[in-house]
Amino acid sequence: MSTSSIQQSTQNKTTLMARFHKFLQVIDFAQVLRQSNAYRVRGIKLTKLVSWILLTLFQRLTLNRSATPTAFSKKTVRNFLNDRHINWQRLVSLAGRNQIAGLSPFIDLRRKAALIIDDTLFKRAHSKKTELLANVYDHAAPQGQPRYVKGFRGLTIGWSDGNTFLPLNFALMSSDKAKNRIGREPQTTDQRTLAAQRYAQAKRHMNEVAVELVAQVLKTGVKASYVLFDSWYAYPKAFKQFQELGLAAVGRLKNTSKTYFKYRGRRYSVPMLFQRFKGSKYRIHDNYLYSTVVETDNEDHLRLKIVFIQNRTDKGHYIALATSKLSLTPEAVIQLYARRWQIECGFKTLKQYLQYDQTQTQSYDGLCGHVALTFLAYDLLAMIQRQENDPKTLGGIFYAANQFLADIPLLQAVKQLLFALAEHCEKTADFFITGLCSRFINSLPNDLQEIFHSNELVS
């Protein structure tokens, strides 16, 4: 490697670290830590400790396989992640809120922000001692694969302006059925503590927790006009609950015969309603099939607009979208729901690049801490992407940043080790090690011997 290349690499790494520290300033990380009940561990500043964890995530290393930090031990890192007093959900929410405030000058005022609800599988296939581990349903499993796997459901609340997606809240969901929980129960003596509430939340029904997490996000001051979700959360009661929170809901309805809506004085399920329109003389539009207003068949009697669109992946089927904001045009409903795909891309980035479900932690608190810090790493990528002139994907930005954190080549590491041993031998007159190193180098092929006998370090 030439001198100019070394200087350029050093400059790039310096630029990355500058961006990293700028990110911590944007989200006011020190204040966020204090507001989340996170304080110094053994006299060590948490900003340094968290910075080391985030850089480890960028190197795609687990805590066990990463190099031991110089300023503290790995045990200190584990104690920090396992701290029951830290409110990891609040940490993610406050960091996201501050980052949104930093992005506000770049957001078009005509764009309406939306919250997005979804969950992803957090696998723990080879662990039986993990706290609250459960057999959870994998609704994305391919045909013929097991539907139940060991792990958690990573319920996530995200924010989007149509351009940038940021995770704002989360909950690692176990199972609301005791027979499905196979991990040990966390030990706590006071059910009023934050940790006990977190454990209880993991064992509740996921749809109820989703509404609760959205309410927590709004309490931090995050502004949004809509909430988007797929068919797993699109039950009639949810539309009313989100409306009471001041959000217009847009979701995909299940094609089931168990849920009914009222249309012109009669009760219809979604399939029945579609068949009625299909058998009538209603005109099929260019961008959608049919659109109508119905009423929920429960005590709320909430009016919803349903838009039927063609399923692109299966021409013989349809997709039914619903919204509680009747003034939205069918095209606007479709456009808003399409924004929900951003959270799926976010899950891919978290799993493929940021070690989202790759950790040896067995405590439930430690798992929550790990997830929270992967979200912070994702926030950093999102900030860099928003500031870049080159429209790279988050994955591309990850690889560009990771180039500056790469390990040294094996040959260079071996040569540095031998040079260090030789220097030690010169100072201590240890002729045994000197002879051992010489015999090792002389046993190598001629081209490698020339490299080791040269006066320059190998790059």
Side-chain angles (χ1 to χ4, degrees):
M1 181 184 293
S2 64
T3 305
S4 60
S5 299
I6 295 175
Q7 291 176 350
Q8 183 178 2
S9 177
T10 304
Q11 292 173 358
N12 290 337
K13 187 171 183 178
T14 303
T15 301
L16 175 65
M17 297 305 298
R19 285 180 170 178
F20 181 75
H21 291 298
K22 178 63 176 179
F23 166 73
L24 296 182
Q25 293 176 1
V26 168
I27 65 175
D28 196 5
F29 192 57
Q31 180 68 15
V32 166
L33 286 172
R34 288 191 292 269
Q35 293 177 340
S36 305
N37 299 330
Y39 299 96
R40 286 192 176 195
V41 179
R42 299 179 180 272
I44 299 170
K45 289 185 177 181
L46 289 187
T47 51
K48 292 184 177 180
L49 192 147
V50 172
S51 299
W52 180 84
I53 297 176
L54 294 182
L55 291 176
T56 301
L57 292 175
F58 269 83
Q59 292 173 330
R60 306 175 85 171
L61 297 173
T62 61
L63 182 60
N64 291 346
R65 295 188 177 184
S66 59
T68 303
T70 56
F72 44 84
S73 66
K74 290 185 180 180
K75 184 178 179 180
T76 303
V77 178
R78 293 189 183 94
N79 291 339
F80 169 68
L81 293 175
N82 295 330
D83 193 337
R84 294 188 173 189
H85 301 93
I86 300 178
N87 192 334
W88 296 109
Q89 294 172 325
R90 184 170 177 79
L91 186 146
V92 173
S93 297
L94 294 178
R97 180 202 63 184
N98 293 346
Q99 188 168 358
I100 293 171
L103 291 175
S104 57
F106 309 99
I107 299 176
D108 192 335
L109 297 178
R110 294 171 295 180
R111 286 184 176 270
K112 298 296 184 181
L115 300 179
I116 307 175
I117 304 173
D118 205 355
D119 62 274
T120 187
L121 186 62
F122 190 99
K123 288 185 178 181
R124 299 283 289 177
H126 304 291
S127 177
K128 294 182 180 179
K129 297 182 179 180
T130 302
E131 293 178 343
L132 296 178
L133 184 70
N135 287 318
V136 294
Y137 186 76
D138 182 12
H139 53 76
Q143 191 71 23
Q145 296 294 325
R147 284 291 181 179
Y148 282 87
V149 296
K150 294 178 184 178
F152 302 87
R153 297 298 313 180
L155 178 60
T156 305
I157 311 298
W159 174 93
S160 169
D161 65 341
N163 186 349
T164 300
F165 170 79
L166 297 174
L168 289 183
N169 209 345
F170 73 97
L172 278 180
M173 304 301 298
S174 179
S175 177
D176 56 344
K177 299 179 181 178
K179 64 179 182 180
N180 289 337
R181 294 196 295 270
I182 57 179
R184 68 178 188 271
E185 290 287 329
Q187 299 298 320
T188 178
T189 56
D190 191 347
Q191 299 301 319
R192 298 170 299 177
T193 61
L194 172 65
Q197 295 174 12
R198 189 157 51 207
Y199 306 150
Q201 184 185 65
K203 295 182 283 188
R204 290 167 50 200
H205 198 276
M206 191 155 55
N207 288 347
E208 297 176 0
V209 177
V211 178
E212 185 177 289
L213 295 181
V214 170
Q216 292 175 1
V217 168
L218 295 177
K219 285 182 180 179
T220 63
V222 174
K223 303 297 182 182
S225 302
Y226 302 97
V227 58
L228 316 177
F229 43 83
D230 64 5
S231 58
W232 280 89
Y233 307 93
Y235 53 99
K237 186 178 179 181
F239 288 89
K240 180 66 174 179
Q241 291 174 322
F242 290 124
Q243 189 180 63
E244 292 173 349
L245 292 175
L247 298 171
V250 177
R252 176 178 177 176
L253 298 177
K254 288 184 178 181
N255 294 335
T256 176
S257 300
K258 297 181 179 180
T259 304
Y260 286 86
F261 300 91
K262 290 182 179 180
Y263 175 70
R264 294 188 176 181
R266 297 185 62 181
R267 297 171 71 245
Y268 292 90
S269 64
V270 171
M272 292 169 58
L273 189 61
F274 178 78
Q275 291 301 324
R276 166 161 181 172
F277 283 111
K278 186 177 180 181
S280 66
K281 296 181 180 179
Y282 285 100
R283 181 174 67 89
I284 295 179
H285 298 76
D286 295 334
N287 300 323
Y288 62 96
L289 300 177
Y290 312 106
S291 176
T292 187
V293 176
V294 299
E295 188 178 279
T296 57
D297 188 30
N298 55 21
E299 66 277 5
D300 296 326
H301 302 292
L302 180 66
R303 300 181 71 203
L304 300 176
K305 173 178 282 189
I306 297 181
V307 180
F308 293 98
I309 62 176
Q310 187 72 55
N311 191 335
R312 293 183 178 179
T313 60
D314 189 348
K315 297 298 182 181
H317 292 79
Y318 61 89
I319 295 175
L321 305 180
T323 179
S324 56
K325 189 170 184 179
L326 304 183
S327 60
L328 288 176
T329 64
E331 291 82 2
V333 174
I334 298 171
Q335 186 178 27
L336 276 170
Y337 184 76
R339 196 189 297 185
R340 196 198 66 83
W341 187 250
Q342 287 186 297
I343 197 171
E344 301 288 356
C345 297
F347 288 148
K348 180 180 178 181
T349 301
L350 286 164
K351 290 184 175 182
Q352 189 170 349
Y353 303 109
L354 298 175
Q355 307 292 96
Y356 173 78
D357 53 356
Q358 301 296 320
T359 176
Q360 284 80 35
T361 303
Q362 293 187 339
S363 74
Y364 183 78
D365 300 291
L367 292 175
C368 291
H370 170 78
V371 170
L373 293 180
T374 60
F375 282 164
L376 287 183
Y378 183 95
D379 289 343
L380 172 60
L381 291 179
M383 187 190 77
I384 296 175
Q385 183 188 39
R386 195 66 183 247
Q387 294 176 344
E388 285 285 337
N389 294 325
D390 184 10
K392 295 186 180 72
T393 62
L394 287 179
I397 291 176
F398 170 82
Y399 280 119
N402 198 39
Q403 289 176 356
F404 315 135
L405 302 173
D407 298 331
I408 61 175
L410 176 62
L411 185 61
Q412 182 179 356
V414 173
K415 185 175 181 180
Q416 290 183 359
L417 174 62
L418 294 176
F419 282 180
L421 288 174
E423 184 178 356
H424 168 76
C425 294
E426 289 180 1
K427 294 180 180 179
T428 60
D430 193 333
F431 299 105
F432 174 77
I433 296 181
T434 303
L436 187 64
C437 293
S438 299
R439 287 194 298 273
F440 171 75
I441 294 176
N442 293 332
S443 65
L444 295 174
N446 293 333
D447 54 346
L448 292 180
Q449 289 187 35
E450 293 178 1
I451 293 176
F452 277 104
H453 288 305
S454 65
N455 294 325
E456 298 180 356
L457 282 177
V458 180
S459 301

